Amino acid sequence: MSNRSPDILFSNHVRDHPSWSVFEARFQDIYGSGPERMAVLARITDSLADALRTRSTALVELDRARSAAPDWTSVSGNVIYTFYVDRFSQDLAGLIERLDYLQSLGVRWLHPLPLLRSRPGDSDGGFAVADFRQIEPHLGSMDDLAALTTALHQRGMGLLLDVVCNHTAREHAWAVAARAGDLASRAFYRVESTETSVAAWGEHLIDVFPDTAPGSFTHEPEMGGWVWTTFYPFQWDLNYANPAVFIEMLDVLLFLANQGVDGFRLDSAPFLWKREGTSCRNQPEAYRIVEAWRAALSIVVPGVVLLAEAIESIDDVLPFFGQQSPGCDLAYNNGVMTALWGALADEDAGIARTLIEAASVRPAHAAWLNYVRCHDDLIWNALAAYAEPADLKRWSDFYAGGGFSGGRAFQTAPGGVPSTNGMAAALVGLGRDGVDQDLAARRLTLLYGIIHGLDGWPLIYMGDEVALGNDEAFDRDPARRDEGRWLHRPVMDWYKAEGRDDPDRIEGRTFAALRRFGKLSRSLDGLDIRGPARPVALTEKAVLAFERFEGSRRLLVLANLSPRGVVADLPPGWAGGGHDLVSGRDQSGPSIMLEPYDLLWLADRT
């Protein structure tokens, strides 16, 4: 053994690892087997061995610590904070200076939105990546990224980084080489040579941005045809039927993981595989690709987590957790998020109960990322499998200004209803004339109290902790006015944040509430409260109730979705009431009075 070279030792480690056979199986599911694949697998072995050889001692130790607790992703209270770096702290150096602020809020994970080098000009908010191995220059450098991950690890925090795995910018080196005639680079993309074939594919596709970027193909004379562009014309879809694309993206993940990145948000994961006669979303191969990445990463960087960015129905999201083998560790709980807004508008918990029940069947190793808002729109059409078209339209109209909300309608595909843009504070009515501001503030904290009580990782969108409102001036900026989602991508208001410790200001009350919810969430493991949230139907339709009961103690969350006080009859097994973790007071049963937009977390009395 001592006579073998280090490279051979690392290669042997890769091949001997239990996850290698899983990787081989998933790779063969996608690309088949045979002699021609042996060279491809040999190249992947070399990539994994090289990444293992160059991984720092500190990161290896972090991997070991996480691997020693295989269910660490199920620990309660992994609060995430998501933001655009330039709008929060200007750059990565400034972000390090803001870590005290985030840590005081109870944040455990930072989830910056795209910060890899993007194309000049319009880059779809950074999602048109021109180089996966460089940081956007105005944000910093790879050295700054390494400094950030080091600072985070010293505080027991982690970094989730966006990796846009479905497409590249038109300016990416692969696309530039493809336009110059390089056949190997051309094979990285999907190109159709005739309008007839474009029309045949398009018959089954659903436009993502039908107003600002209709269609899914863009004519490129230098390519001699039409390039597949699901999102915008400057974003070229990668061709994952070519195993070289799979390998390159795996190399990107390994490279970034060795910079200290702790997890990856796999952007647009449902779109990875194209199949004629389908919508080209959520195809079996897309799930296998994620499972193969997971297996490969488990060999080299087992402490790194994968987050599926799949804004689809829950039935289509669940397979991203893994079917034949483990896939993503996390996925956005988009269905529950959207349903909560619908339930709040109706003052009826029905749709939220339906989606919480659907989400409860997640695999035991998986965790939901629970959120109230994010940088994207509220997509009502994602609830089409669970609600009637009239419901979707009612909610869409309500949050476009028909109710207490200060949101705006966004584009939609033909046959659907408009999505909604707006910050959470605006959507609940804060800052809107004629809307009771105390009730609006209660709505905001109620939603955050609910998501912290659910199983999974709660996410805070930048500014929600100080009730930051819409950027109403975005449409006066020529660079942003054609993209309605900039309404809810404001610059962080640090003057408002200065009021976070003042209980007489909305900023102080909101910050304190979210910080308390994070602490309560982190306390659940110590109370042995575990398991998925399961809804409970009550006679009062305005009260959302769900239980978690797989530990030695149970939790019952009660949320009044209405602006009036209601009496909730407790469900069977809770007739005696319980101890409310939110207020710190005991509550007796069999009925409990809930104030407008009130929230209780009832735990079994010890």
Side-chain angles (χ1 to χ4, degrees):
M1 178 71 73
S2 60
N3 293 327
R4 296 181 182 180
S5 73
D7 288 343
I8 292 176
L9 290 175
F10 286 115
S11 294
N12 286 344
H13 174 88
V14 169
R15 295 273 186 175
D16 292 340
H17 195 282
S19 290
W20 176 255
S21 62
V22 177
F23 170 77
E24 276 192 310
R26 297 294 79 77
F27 188 84
Q28 290 176 6
D29 289 342
I30 306 162
Y31 299 111
S33 58
E36 72 279 3
R37 296 300 181 213
M38 297 306 295
V40 177
L41 289 172
R43 178 183 167 189
I44 293 173
T45 302
D46 290 344
S47 292
L48 295 174
D50 186 61
L52 188 63
R53 179 178 58 82
T54 56
R55 191 154 176 81
S56 73
T57 301
L59 293 177
V60 169
E61 289 301 317
L62 185 57
D63 288 331
R64 287 174 180 165
R66 289 174 177 167
S67 298
D71 60 347
W72 70 272
T73 55
S74 298
V75 172
S76 296
N78 273 305
V79 177
I80 308 174
Y81 191 87
T82 186
F83 55 97
Y84 280 101
V85 173
D86 56 345
R87 307 189 80 72
F88 179 72
S89 60
Q90 293 191 329
D91 55 22
L92 292 177
L95 180 54
I96 294 174
E97 295 176 0
R98 295 294 185 183
L99 292 183
D100 285 345
Y101 170 85
L102 294 170
Q103 202 162 26
S104 73
L105 181 58
V107 171
R108 294 293 180 86
W109 290 77
L110 269 59
H111 171 11
L113 289 153
L115 51 74
L116 300 178
R117 189 168 72 82
S118 59
R119 71 187 299 268
D122 185 4
S123 65
D124 186 24
F127 286 95
V129 177
D131 193 327
F132 291 104
R133 296 170 185 264
Q134 291 187 28
I135 299 299
E136 178 64 28
H138 76 272
L139 299 179
S141 65
M142 274 296 167
D143 287 341
D144 293 318
L145 181 69
L148 172 63
T149 60
T150 298
L152 290 171
H153 294 158
Q154 290 171 346
R155 294 169 179 256
M157 300 169 74
L159 181 69
L160 283 169
L161 195 67
D162 246 302
V163 171
V164 184
C165 51
N166 176 70
H167 49 266
T168 72
R170 186 179 183 274
E171 291 74 13
H172 192 283
W174 302 335
V176 171
R179 292 200 306 277
D182 181 73
L183 295 180
S185 298
R186 180 188 177 90
F188 271 49
Y189 300 96
R190 299 292 300 245
V191 185
E192 296 298 320
S193 59
T194 69
E195 291 187 74
T196 301
S197 61
V198 167
W201 280 103
E203 183 179 348
H204 302 279
L205 303 179
I206 302 170
D207 284 359
V208 177
F209 300 126
D211 293 347
T212 54
S216 297
F217 294 87
T218 300
H219 187 251
E220 286 282 352
E222 291 175 284
M223 298 291 282
W226 286 259
V227 176
W228 200 307
T229 54
T230 294
F231 296 93
Y232 284 99
F234 50 77
Q235 291 168 305
W236 288 16
D237 282 39
L238 289 164
N239 175 23
Y240 276 91
N242 177 0
V245 172
F246 173 93
I247 294 170
E248 288 289 348
M249 197 56 64
L250 175 59
D251 283 348
V252 165
L253 297 175
L254 292 168
F255 168 77
L256 293 171
N258 275 357
Q259 310 308 306
V261 176
D262 301 277
F264 300 107
R265 174 188 182 270
L266 301 179
D267 180 72
S268 305
F271 299 87
L272 296 181
W273 197 266
K274 320 301 187 190
R275 174 170 281 108
E276 290 186 58
T278 74
S279 66
C280 298
R281 295 163 82 154
N282 307 304
Q283 296 300 301
E285 290 85 355
Y287 301 130
R288 298 294 89 77
I289 288 168
V290 171
E291 291 176 25
W293 280 337
R294 173 70 277 167
L297 293 174
S298 295
I299 298 170
V300 180
V301 290
V304 166
V305 297
L306 295 181
L307 165 63
E309 192 267 332
I311 310 305
E312 309 283 332
S313 71
I314 287 180
D315 287 344
D316 288 327
V317 175
L318 286 169
F320 278 108
F321 288 131
Q323 293 174 303
Q324 297 177 348
S325 59
C328 284
D329 307 274
L330 300 161
Y332 285 88
N333 203 349
N334 172 72
V336 170
M337 179 275 295
T338 313
L340 286 173
W341 287 103
L344 190 66
D346 286 351
E347 301 174 24
D348 185 335
I351 185 62
R353 283 199 306 271
T354 297
L355 271 295
I356 290 173
E357 178 63 36
S360 70
V361 300
R362 61 162 177 80
H365 74 272
W368 288 113
L369 187 156
N370 299 305
Y371 63 119
V372 171
R373 283 297 291 117
C374 70
H375 68 290
D376 268 332
D377 45 314
L378 278 172
I379 304 175
W380 301 108
N381 296 326
L383 294 180
Y386 310 98
E388 297 296 324
D391 296 327
L392 305 180
K393 184 178 187 307
R394 182 176 66 257
W395 299 329
S396 174
D397 292 344
F398 185 95
Y399 286 105
F404 50 66
S405 166
R408 297 191 195 181
F410 193 45
Q411 55 193 297
T412 186
V417 301
S419 297
T420 299
N421 290 331
M423 291 288 286
L427 296 183
V428 299
L430 281 168
R432 194 168 191 218
D433 291 341
V435 175
D436 186 305
Q437 293 300 283
D438 179 64
L439 292 178
R442 285 170 172 257
R443 285 190 283 266
L444 179 58
T445 55
L446 174 71
L447 291 172
Y448 269 99
I450 292 170
I451 68 158
H452 279 77
L454 293 167
D455 54 293
W457 295 27
L459 177 142
I460 298 171
Y461 184 53
M462 186 205 81
D464 282 359
E465 74 278 9
V466 292
L468 183 61
N470 289 339
D471 181 0
E472 299 288 354
F474 86 93
D475 49 9
R476 296 196 293 273
D477 180 352
R480 296 186 295 144
R481 64 189 177 198
D482 293 329
E483 171 53 83
R485 290 174 296 174
W486 283 110
L487 179 69
H488 51 258
R489 299 172 181 177
V491 174
M492 181 62 177
D493 188 334
W494 288 106
Y495 174 76
K496 283 179 69 69
E498 289 177 1
R500 63 188 179 275
D501 296 321
D502 186 346
D504 293 327
R505 291 175 57 176
I506 181 64
E507 298 87 352
R509 295 191 298 274
T510 306
F511 193 93
L514 271 58
R515 177 166 52 194
R516 178 156 177 73
F517 291 143
K519 288 181 179 178
L520 290 176
S521 181
R522 285 188 289 279
S523 75
L524 297 182
D525 287 330
L527 298 174
D528 197 29
I529 291 171
R530 306 180 187 280
R534 298 188 182 277
V536 180
L538 302 182
T539 54
E540 173 51 65
K541 70 176 186 177
V543 177
L544 173 64
F546 58 85
E547 290 181 292
R548 297 178 62 190
F549 50 79
E550 290 188 1
S552 61
R553 293 183 69 182
R554 299 175 301 160
L555 177 72
L556 174 67
V557 173
L558 299 171
N560 180 8
L561 301 173
S562 78
R564 66 185 189 283
V566 298
V567 176
D569 293 329
L570 295 179
W574 289 91
H579 180 72
D580 178 25
L581 300 179
V582 176
S583 67
R585 298 191 298 267
D586 284 346
Q587 294 282 352
S588 59
S591 298
I592 290 181
M593 178 67 190
L594 296 172
E595 299 298 326
Y597 300 116
D598 206 357
L599 174 75
L600 278 71
W601 286 18
L602 292 184
D604 287 320
R605 294 190 183 93
T606 55

